[in-house]
Amino acid sequence: MDASVVGIRLASGVMTPLVKKLFRGEGAGAGLVDRPVRISSYVSLREQRVLSRDDLRRLADKLVAEALRVPGEQPLPPGEEAGVATALAVTLHSLGDLALEDAQAVEMGARAFAAELRKAAPATGLGRDAQLFHDRLLVTTCLHVLHFFTSRSTYIPAALVEQARRQAETIAKIDALLARIPRQGGRDAEFEARYLEYLAKRHSTLTIFGLDLPPGSARWPLDAAYVSLEATPRPRRVGGEGSATVPAQGAAHGSSPLGTGDLLAFEPRILLRGEAGSGKTTLIQWLAVSTARDEPEGSLVPFVLPLRNLTRYGERLPAPEDFLVATVLKGRAPEGWESRVLSEGRGLVLVDGIDEIPETERARARDWLTELLTAYPGNRWLVTSRPSAVPQDWLASEQFAELTLSPMNRADVAGFVTRWHRAAEAGDDLRDQLLASLRTKSELARLATNPLLCGLICALHRERHGFLPSGRKELYTAALSMLLHRRDRERELRLPELAEEPQLQLLQRLAYWLIRNGRTQLRRSRAEDLIAAALPAVPAAQVLGEAPAVLRHFLERTGLLRAPTEDTLEFVHRTFQDFLGARAALDEGGLGELTRHADDDQWEDVIRMAVAQGRPRDRAAIIGDLLVRDSDRAVLLALASLEYAAELDPELRREVRTAARRLIPPRDDQAAYALGRIGPLILDLLPLDAEAHRHARRFVIAAAETGSEAAIGYLAGYCHHRDEKIRATLTGVWERFDTEHYAAEVLARMVPPPDDLVVTSDAALAALTGFTGPPGLYVLHRVSRGALTHFLARQPVAGLAFQQFSGGTDAEFLRGHTSLRRLTIDTWPELRDLNALHGLPLEEVSLDLGNDVPLGPTLAAWPRLRALTLHSCGPWSFTDFAPGARPDVLDLDDADPDLTGLGRLTSLRRLRLGFDWRPGGKGAWAELSALEDLREIAVHTRALDGLASYAHLPSLRTVMVYDDEEMWDPDLKARVAHRFPQAELGLVTQAYGN
């Protein structure tokens, strides 16, 4: 075997479709003669005018790109790709000038045939390495060209059977060899295993706020701590200001929430927004650990990119070869390993904290992301940010879906509290007492909306033997007291006695420096300098020693600071940084500096916490200055600050509310979300008679975003609204609230009843006690068969959709449900008995059973069927349809059906025959042609020839194709357009095929 051919490492699955584009379709001399034909008669060049020089250049570009995609040492010097592609296009163009016959070419072999092409073409003008790469790629291409000749000519197989066999064997051996060649001699696989093991250990624990655990146990195992929250897809804006919105692309169920564990199963690119403490970084850890631990070898590889670490000193954002720069494995990977993983589409790139870099650097961060996405398509990407840090649709042009982490609902909070007390060994009595307080004290429940605050509440509840603070300021103050002073004192540690206030004075200087510089990390040496400069003014802290000893105390004893690297420090959570920074601003009298940054999202919490901690005149000065600035953001911040102003002049409160009213109605969805995040204060600003208002949906978004029980009454006013987007918002947020209360006040009163209500748990299902008519439910995998059976015994339903359901081997709980019209099963692998589905009055059915249970008898028992979608299902045929069935839509994604019996389904308007379907003869076209009212069809490109030749479909208006548009034969396109002059030709938008 020629080593130069193997060196390119291009498998036949890549080469064959590209090489075929060089040659014409069926034509003279192709298998119809008993003697050799000239090569020029095959070629799609010159007099045939099928393949232009531009087409040929694009083909050469693809050949070069495919050759360079293969992992391993790159054979071409950087920057010479375009030159090689140009030279290859010129060389291949000489195919049209060859006087050789196909038999002569086959007998010559690939190397000699390539030499003939080089002779017929002009000199390439390439350098030595580029010329060598060009020649190797040309030989590889010629090998496949000759194999093409052996499969097209009837003369050559007869005259040169042995030669043809050798050509085929050579290609097969290359494919087999390529499959066995280890990347980088096994170094990639070895390092990858080591890296994944490191990731799984590095991110497998969390900090536990306020827990006194034995030495070495001060971290919480991620498996025990992680609570899967939900994220709500945010609609994408289409067009300009005031344009319509549509659900996030690909998101299941429009605006219905998704479990965070399922995010990347639905969307390959996600921008995830979440408030401080909402669990963004914990989610990044969980995705990294679960992927590293559970994915099969050679599958996804996570890259965790915390921007606060990567850009702490203003460094450039990393290229792939620097993705490990913030880990102990920096410089240990085989050269180019990261790029090879991304080129293969195996990367899970987790970019944490767009909001944690200065606002001036975010445009550069977006450019960095765009370059990575362009260079390495096909990977999975998750980018996190606080909600206000970047505008809506910030990455929409890069096909990112936007989702927002939902606040913890009652079930989430109960689960978190239970896990916390189990880890702390705090006892069931204390846990039950706290859960009772969270149920009965609305102010406390409103605080426990994210994992950070919930953890602080748990810690303080145990620390204070059941006494809890009543507000956010009091919660942080108590937490700081616990962490800075009471823990060590009450454990009777022999340490120098140091009161809280001196420690706060020093820590707040570090916090304010970070805020002023737009950072979340600082060098250890800088921290020591800041402490050293402050120590003379804080003599009590000198009991600990000089600045290095003081800083060491903060790191080792308080739990407020941590060192992600040897020379870098950060606050354990951004919330503490903002709280202490606000305290410093008040001490320095820097109120003007605070309000000057009103439009900077990194200062929002600082300003709110300054209002919470300030004296009455400080609060009035801050809020008054925000109103003077008069920007929408400043007014919203002033309104949000009212919640924290324990004492404030009533006239100033009225001024704030008056200024805020001009923001009603919100100008777009983004403004509605921002308004809602202020909290229940905004409910008084929303109009009570807004049901018919053209901005009604934005009022609903704002009210729902507050997460306040007080919002339920307002949302109940929209129970009779017919707008589908408003109804979707009402049903999508219900588990953010007390599920029973919301179900009774909103869901039970909706007219018509909800038709796509997502149910995530048995408890949620039990909370649904009544509707104005049969609802439609989307049942997630955590719902049990028993709970569903109990629910269906008391409540008829019009629609059911199951996702990853584990409901046993039969569907007996559905038997006799005469109200059921819509059924979707998205994977139910245990299901074996479909008898209970017989006779149900189903009109719309979508099945992806994940097994091979025969479907034919069940189809025969659905006489009312109007729409059917089949994915992975058992045997069936068109003759199985019930005699009375008049389906309008058939979508057969993964099927390869025999069309026998199709012709009697004359009611069909849309038919998708699936990626794998190929016509079985003229009888198939006769069946298809019986569908005189068919308006849309979807087939593979390989079925287009028969469609254009034999199908008679006078009503056809759309022809959809499952394939890459660049692989379409232009002649075939023209024939389809001529055959169906009123039909538009387009691509099937989903991904199909094996």
Side-chain angles (χ1 to χ4, degrees):
M1 188 184 304
D2 192 324
S4 67
V5 175
V6 178
I8 294 297
R9 298 188 184 180
L10 277 173
S12 60
V14 173
M15 288 293 294
T16 299
L18 296 178
V19 168
K20 281 185 177 179
K21 295 188 71 174
L22 286 167
F23 304 100
R24 301 174 61 205
E26 298 294 335
L32 304 178
V33 298
D34 57 358
R35 62 182 183 278
V37 295
R38 290 181 57 174
I39 290 173
S40 57
S41 68
Y42 282 129
V43 181
S44 301
L45 298 166
R46 304 286 182 177
E47 56 268 58
Q48 283 78 22
R49 301 290 182 186
V50 175
L51 195 67
S52 68
R53 285 182 179 270
D54 288 340
D55 293 331
L56 193 57
R57 172 55 195 272
R58 284 193 288 272
L59 176 62
D61 283 337
K62 281 196 170 186
L63 286 168
V64 171
E66 290 293 344
L68 292 175
R69 281 186 62 187
V70 179
E73 183 179 354
Q74 293 298 295
L76 184 64
E80 299 195 26
E81 297 88 344
V84 171
T86 300
L88 183 62
V90 171
T91 304
L92 291 176
H93 196 271
S94 61
L95 279 166
D97 299 324
L98 291 181
L100 286 171
E101 293 178 341
D102 51 10
Q104 291 175 306
V106 172
E107 189 170 11
M108 290 170 69
R111 288 182 62 82
F113 182 54
E116 286 294 320
L117 280 177
R118 286 197 296 273
K119 288 179 186 178
T124 63
L126 298 172
R128 181 180 178 278
D129 289 341
Q131 181 68 52
L132 179 61
F133 179 75
H134 167 275
D135 292 347
R136 288 178 175 174
L137 184 53
L138 181 62
V139 172
T140 304
T141 305
C142 287
L143 177 65
H144 287 267
V145 167
L146 298 185
H147 184 61
F148 170 82
F149 292 156
T150 67
S151 64
R152 289 293 301 273
S153 171
T154 56
Y155 171 81
I156 295 173
L160 298 168
V161 172
E162 182 61 23
Q163 179 74 7
R165 184 184 64 78
R166 289 199 301 269
Q167 297 286 1
E169 285 181 355
T170 300
I171 290 177
K173 288 177 180 178
I174 290 175
D175 287 342
L177 178 61
L178 293 178
R180 294 196 303 268
I181 293 177
R183 293 188 299 275
Q184 291 287 299
R187 292 181 63 223
D188 277 11
E190 181 181 351
F191 175 78
E192 194 166 297
R194 179 185 177 191
Y195 171 69
L196 293 177
E197 182 181 3
Y198 160 78
L199 269 188
K201 292 180 179 179
R202 166 67 179 80
H203 295 288
S204 63
T205 57
L206 298 173
T207 300
I208 311 175
F209 292 106
L211 286 191
D212 303 326
L213 297 180
S217 302
R219 304 280 289 176
W220 196 356
L222 185 63
D223 287 342
Y226 182 69
V227 176
S228 179
L229 303 178
E230 289 181 341
T232 303
R234 180 166 294 185
R236 293 182 292 113
R237 189 166 51 229
V238 177
E241 184 66 39
S243 301
T245 57
V246 297
Q249 187 176 24
H253 279 6
S255 60
S256 297
L258 300 173
T260 48
D262 300 326
L263 292 183
L264 291 167
F266 288 99
E267 297 285 355
R269 298 180 180 183
I270 291 175
L271 172 61
L272 182 66
R273 301 175 188 265
E275 298 287 357
S278 60
K280 301 185 295 295
T281 299
T282 304
L283 173 61
I284 292 280
Q285 285 186 238
W286 186 84
L287 287 172
V289 170
S290 59
T291 302
R293 190 174 52 196
D294 301 335
E295 286 286 325
E297 183 178 346
S299 188
L300 284 180
V301 176
F303 294 102
V304 180
L305 304 179
L307 295 189
R308 60 187 172 276
N309 294 352
L310 299 172
T311 65
R312 55 181 174 261
Y313 308 130
E315 299 97 333
R316 290 178 58 85
L317 289 161
E321 57 267 23
D322 297 319
F323 275 8
L324 307 188
V325 71
T327 75
V328 297
L329 296 180
K330 174 185 176 182
R332 304 289 182 86
E335 184 176 356
W337 170 75
E338 299 91 342
S339 293
R340 288 191 290 277
V341 169
L342 295 174
S343 295
E344 295 167 12
R346 297 193 299 119
L348 171 58
V349 187
L350 304 167
V351 181
D352 189 23
I354 286 290
D355 58 290
E356 295 188 352
I357 60 176
E359 190 171 8
T360 55
E361 297 180 16
R362 291 175 196 163
R364 183 163 60 91
R366 190 189 184 285
D367 293 340
W368 165 73
L369 272 170
T370 300
E371 289 180 12
L372 286 173
L373 291 161
T374 302
Y376 303 103
N379 296 280
R380 294 185 176 275
W381 306 76
L382 177 69
V383 180
T384 71
S385 172
R386 287 193 187 188
S388 57
V390 292
Q392 185 179 3
D393 299 331
W394 191 61
L395 289 172
S397 62
E398 303 301 329
Q399 305 304 309
F400 271 71
E402 288 200 13
L403 292 95
T404 300
L405 271 177
S406 304
M408 294 173 72
N409 59 39
R410 297 285 181 101
D412 296 330
V413 171
F416 185 97
V417 169
T418 299
R419 291 184 178 200
W420 193 98
H421 283 76
R422 185 184 304 129
E425 298 180 357
D428 293 346
D429 291 343
L430 203 60
R431 177 202 63 196
D432 294 342
Q433 182 185 0
L434 178 56
L435 289 174
S437 296
L438 288 167
R439 284 193 298 269
T440 57
K441 298 179 179 179
S442 59
E443 180 66 21
L444 183 63
R446 199 159 66 82
L447 282 174
T449 55
N450 66 53
L452 171 72
L453 294 176
C454 202
L456 287 177
I457 288 170
C458 290
L460 287 168
H461 182 260
R462 189 189 67 160
E463 175 83 10
R464 296 183 166 202
H465 307 291
F467 173 76
L468 282 169
S470 58
R472 193 174 170 196
K473 173 202 169 186
E474 292 78 11
L475 181 65
Y476 292 151
T477 301
L480 288 170
S481 175
M482 175 181 65
L483 294 171
L484 291 179
H485 183 55
R486 294 182 62 184
R487 288 176 65 206
D488 282 351
R489 187 185 67 190
E490 294 180 6
R491 284 185 293 176
E492 300 180 354
L493 296 180
R494 295 185 178 181
L495 296 172
E497 183 72 22
L498 182 59
E500 294 172 29
E501 186 59 29
Q503 297 183 76
L504 291 172
Q505 287 293 328
L506 297 177
L507 285 166
Q508 70 188 35
R509 282 168 169 77
L510 302 183
Y512 206 27
W513 185 93
L514 288 167
I515 292 166
R516 280 172 159 166
N517 288 276
R519 300 289 173 189
T520 57
Q521 292 187 344
L522 74 166
R523 292 184 189 274
R524 182 186 288 261
S525 58
R526 167 71 71 178
E528 290 177 351
D529 290 344
L530 290 169
I531 292 173
L535 274 177
V538 190
Q542 295 176 15
V543 67
L544 298 175
E546 300 296 325
V550 174
L551 184 58
R552 189 164 55 251
H553 169 82
F554 289 150
L555 279 166
E556 294 175 358
R557 302 306 322 153
T558 68
L560 274 172
L561 290 180
R562 63 186 174 198
T565 66
E566 288 186 5
D567 66 340
T568 305
L569 305 175
E570 65 185 5
F571 280 88
V572 72
H573 200 279
R574 175 74 176 274
T575 297
F576 291 119
Q577 175 183 309
D578 292 344
F579 186 83
L580 290 169
R583 196 175 188 273
L586 291 169
D587 283 356
E588 293 183 14
L591 305 185
E593 182 175 15
L594 287 174
T595 55
R596 277 198 303 274
H597 290 89
D599 291 326
D600 186 339
D601 64 275
Q602 294 209 25
W603 288 71
E604 283 185 5
D605 264 0
V606 182
I607 294 172
R608 282 196 287 260
M609 290 298 98
V611 171
Q613 299 177 80
R615 294 168 296 183
R617 64 171 177 268
D618 295 329
R619 298 171 188 147
I622 294 170
I623 292 174
D625 202 12
L626 290 173
L627 291 182
V628 169
R629 295 189 175 277
D630 201 36
S631 69
D632 287 358
R633 195 162 182 169
V635 171
L636 283 174
L637 193 50
L639 182 63
S641 297
L642 292 184
E643 179 183 359
Y644 304 103
E647 179 183 345
L648 191 68
D649 179 41
E651 181 59 31
L652 184 55
R653 285 187 186 272
R654 283 193 290 272
E655 288 180 23
V656 173
R657 292 179 181 276
T658 300
R661 284 194 177 92
R662 68 178 174 79
L663 304 179
I664 306 296
R667 64 180 180 277
D668 54 27
D669 288 355
Q670 183 80 350
Y673 284 112
L675 191 65
R677 285 195 296 271
I678 290 171
L681 280 172
I682 63 102
L683 294 174
D684 292 339
L685 304 178
L686 300 178
L688 296 176
D689 55 348
E691 185 172 346
H693 198 287
R694 65 191 181 96
H695 297 304
R697 178 171 173 272
R698 294 176 190 166
F699 299 143
V700 172
I701 289 174
E705 192 72 9
T706 67
S708 167
E709 295 297 304
I712 295 178
Y714 182 84
L715 295 173
Y718 291 84
C719 286
H720 295 129
H721 209 290
R722 296 283 176 154
D723 184 278
E724 287 301 321
K725 292 179 179 178
I726 289 177
R727 290 170 55 79
T729 303
L730 292 177
T731 58
V733 301
W734 77 288
E735 288 194 64
R736 295 190 193 181
F737 299 89
D738 179 277
T739 52
E740 293 184 8
H741 186 197
Y742 193 95
E745 295 297 319
V746 180
L747 301 180
R749 297 165 56 188
M750 288 179 67
V751 178
D755 60 1
D756 204 4
L757 183 62
V758 178
V759 182
T760 61
S761 66
D762 288 356
L765 192 62
L768 301 175
T769 56
F771 296 92
T772 57
L777 304 183
Y778 192 93
V779 180
L780 299 188
H781 65 275
R782 293 188 294 273
V783 176
S784 69
R785 177 183 175 118
L788 190 58
T789 301
H790 181 71
F791 174 82
L792 294 176
R794 60 180 172 82
Q795 174 64 57
V797 294
L800 275 176
F802 299 93
Q803 183 186 54
Q804 299 291 329
F805 191 57
S806 297
T809 59
D810 61 59
E812 283 299 317
F813 56 87
L814 295 179
R815 187 181 294 278
H817 276 272
T818 55
S819 62
L820 191 61
R821 298 291 185 269
R822 304 181 307 277
L823 176 65
T824 296
I825 299 178
D826 181 3
T827 310
W828 184 346
E830 299 95 342
L831 185 61
R832 291 290 181 271
D833 183 354
L834 303 180
N835 287 331
L837 303 180
H838 292 189
L840 295 180
L842 292 171
E843 297 173 2
E844 300 174 22
V845 176
S846 176
L847 298 179
D848 183 359
L849 299 178
N851 58 44
D852 56 358
V853 176
L855 191 60
T858 308
L859 279 177
W862 290 337
R864 298 188 184 184
L865 193 63
R866 294 292 178 266
L868 176 66
T869 298
L870 295 180
H871 297 275
S872 174
C873 296
W876 66 276
S877 75
F878 290 108
T879 60
D880 293 324
F881 281 77
R886 295 185 53 79
D888 299 316
V889 178
L890 288 181
D891 194 342
L892 311 172
D893 281 353
D894 299 330
D896 181 11
D898 181 338
L899 298 195
T900 301
L902 173 65
R904 69 186 181 88
L905 303 179
T906 56
S907 57
L908 277 178
R909 300 294 184 272
R910 189 179 81 190
L911 174 64
R912 292 192 171 189
L913 284 172
F915 184 91
D916 295 322
W917 181 80
R918 303 292 182 271
K922 291 186 177 181
W925 299 117
E927 293 278 1
L928 194 61
S929 296
L931 308 177
E932 295 185 354
D933 292 330
L934 192 70
R935 299 185 65 82
E936 177 182 324
I937 192 169
V939 296
H940 194 276
T941 47
R942 294 181 185 175
L944 283 180
D945 181 65
L947 186 72
S949 300
Y950 306 115
H952 175 69
L953 297 168
S955 299
L956 202 62
R957 296 295 180 268
T958 304
V959 178
M960 303 296 289
V961 183
Y962 303 89
D963 210 347
D964 180 355
E965 186 174 9
E966 294 185 8
M967 302 302 292
W968 294 354
D969 186 321
D971 272 349
L972 189 53
K973 244 183 180 179
R975 288 178 56 210
V976 172
H978 182 265
R979 180 73 170 183
F980 308 107
Q982 299 184 73
E984 295 183 3
L985 195 65
L987 284 172
V988 176
T989 54
Q990 295 102 321
Y992 292 89
N994 299 327

